[in-house]
Amino acid sequence: MKKKNVFSGIQPSGRLHIGNYVGAMRNMIDLQDEYFCIYGIVDYHAMTVRFDPEEMTKSIFNCTIDYLAAGIDPEKSILMLQSTVSEHTELAWVLNTITPIAWLTRVPTFKEKQQDNPNYLNMGLLDYPVLMAADIILYKAEVVPVGEDQLPHLELTREIVRRFNSYFGETFPEPKEKLGAVKKILGLDGVNKMSKSLDNCIYLDETKEEIWKKLSTAVTDTRRKRRADPGNPEDCNIFTMHKAFSKKEDIDYCARECRHAGIGCLDCKKILLDNIVAELKPIQARRQELLKKKDYIYEVLHDGTIRAKKIAHKTMDEVYERIGIKLYHNAGQNKLS
Ligand code: SF4
């Protein structure tokens, strides 16, 4: 039976943190056997904020290494750079013409980005959910591994698909989300989402000492004021991190002992530290190896582009047929008269 297609993208916007890893990347790795996965380093999306071209070049390289080190296997999946498959923007334009502006202004992330970038509001910020829809449906992906914060974008993608299908005939499937077992971990402040700009992250390439420095001061259950106070694991971001990284016996032990003040928060964090380090260690080792293989990184991306383009071209052929311009796209072959 033909495997269903999956698409997901990660922006090349600097170092990856454990929030990226738990929210989307781990899920992306797990899906590789069951589905045919197309994973994009979505550089066009990273251009919606001010960026330094030199940094962009480096970030794309590092992001590719992060994907591979974490476990994306280019033998099983396609790993490619979005801007090298021009069909992404071709399809985005077609979708732009059927997407009402009101659908885009109501997207919660647009409102957030308006607040974060009051002096740099650009069309890309408003329009990027349409590009995201194009990214997904270009490969007729039926499943999208996403973090919880991306759900409104996926709903918008489904709305755009329904509209396209109703205007031009059944063409695209409606993609469904695939959330990870732990949907989201908050930043070390215990309030905001893990984010580089808020400086509340643990990065995938950090050492045990660096992680401990951050973890030891991370916010826990705010109602637990003293060591002798019983805690509430369900209201504690450290416990959510345990659920994302720790073995079941450690999770059960911390929850039980926290509730009757059998352990302090530092004890609990030390157990978490060991579990995070155990998961990150092999990823960090692979990363070091990959850093020595520059040519291999470029080959993976080049090969990914060729394979992605084959699928993308076929979809665009169908789209151009549906919207009545295919004849002109094949002008050379058809000899227009
Ligand atoms: Fe959170 Fe652990 Fe402290 Fe309980 S013991 S409040 S789960 S850090």
Side-chain angles (χ1 to χ4, degrees), residues 24-35 37 39 71-72:
M25 198 174 235
R26 200 195 256 156
N27 207 359
M28 291 161 70
I29 295 158
D30 292 345
L31 295 175
Q32 294 184 103
D33 289 319
E34 199 183 331
Y35 297 91
C37 301
Y39 293 136
I72 300 297

Side-chain angles (χ1 to χ4, degrees), residues 220-221 224 236 238-239 258 265 268:
T220 63
D221 169 17
R224 192 177 188 196
C236 175
I238 294 294
F239 187 66
C258 170
C265 291
C268 180

Side-chain angles (χ1 to χ4, degrees), residues 6-13 16 20-21 23-28 31 37-46 63 67 72 78-83 88 128 131-137 139 141 143-147 149-150 153-154:
V6 160
F7 178 87
S8 188
I10 280 202
Q11 289 196 31
S13 48
L16 290 182
N20 303 129
Y21 179 69
M25 198 174 235
R26 200 195 256 156
N27 207 359
M28 291 161 70
L31 295 175
C37 301
I38 300 114
Y39 293 136
I41 295 166
V42 288
D43 50 344
Y44 278 142
H45 289 283
C63 189
Y67 262 115
I72 300 297
I78 292 178
L79 180 58
M80 55 84 188
L81 179 64
Q82 179 193 34
S83 64
H88 283 258
Y128 99 101
L131 180 58
M132 189 173 151
D135 297 337
I136 296 167
I137 69 175
Y139 302 102
V143 176
V144 183
V146 282
D149 55 332
Q150 295 290 318
H153 291 149
L154 201 58

Side-chain angles (χ1 to χ4, degrees), residues 71-237:
I72 300 297
D73 180 352
E75 299 287 320
K76 293 180 188 164
S77 308
I78 292 178
L79 180 58
M80 55 84 188
L81 179 64
Q82 179 193 34
S83 64
T84 63
V85 181
S86 54
E87 286 84 352
H88 283 258
T89 39
E90 284 178 42
L91 181 55
W93 180 258
V94 175
L95 301 183
N96 268 334
T97 64
I98 60 165
T99 305
I101 296 169
W103 287 6
L104 299 175
T105 50
R106 70 167 194 228
V107 172
T109 46
F110 176 64
K111 290 180 191 147
E112 278 166 34
K113 288 189 175 179
Q114 251 181 325
Q115 283 162 5
D116 294 348
N117 305 280
N119 302 319
Y120 199 64
L121 281 180
N122 58 73
M123 273 304 294
L125 274 183
L126 178 67
D127 198 35
Y128 99 101
V130 178
L131 180 58
M132 189 173 151
D135 297 337
I136 296 167
I137 69 175
L138 185 60
Y139 302 102
K140 301 203 173 180
E142 291 178 70
V143 176
V144 183
V146 282
E148 224 175 18
D149 55 332
Q150 295 290 318
L151 289 177
H153 291 149
L154 201 58
E155 184 49 39
L156 183 70
T157 299
R158 286 191 282 265
E159 284 180 283
I160 294 173
V161 163
R162 286 195 282 273
R163 181 164 278 204
F164 186 97
N165 289 346
S166 79
Y167 282 8
F168 303 113
E170 202 65 27
T171 310
F172 297 110
E174 288 187 31
K176 292 194 174 52
E177 66 272 9
K178 183 103 179 165
L179 290 164
V182 175
K183 295 179 188 72
K184 174 162 91 174
I185 52 176
L186 296 172
L188 297 165
D189 53 19
V191 183
N192 297 296
K193 118 182 184 187
M194 202 169 268
S195 143
K196 286 165 208 126
S197 56
L198 295 173
D199 194 21
N200 63 1
C201 311
I202 292 174
Y203 293 100
L204 293 189
D205 59 359
E206 287 190 301
T207 63
K208 185 171 185 177
E209 292 68 34
E210 287 168 330
I211 297 174
W212 179 244
K213 208 169 159 197
K214 292 178 171 183
L215 216 48
S216 57
T217 54
V219 174
T220 63
D221 169 17
T222 47
R223 283 177 292 169
R224 192 177 188 196
K225 305 279 184 221
R226 296 165 305 152
R227 167 72 176 76
D229 293 340
N232 304 279
E234 55 288 342
D235 296 330
C236 175
N237 188 41

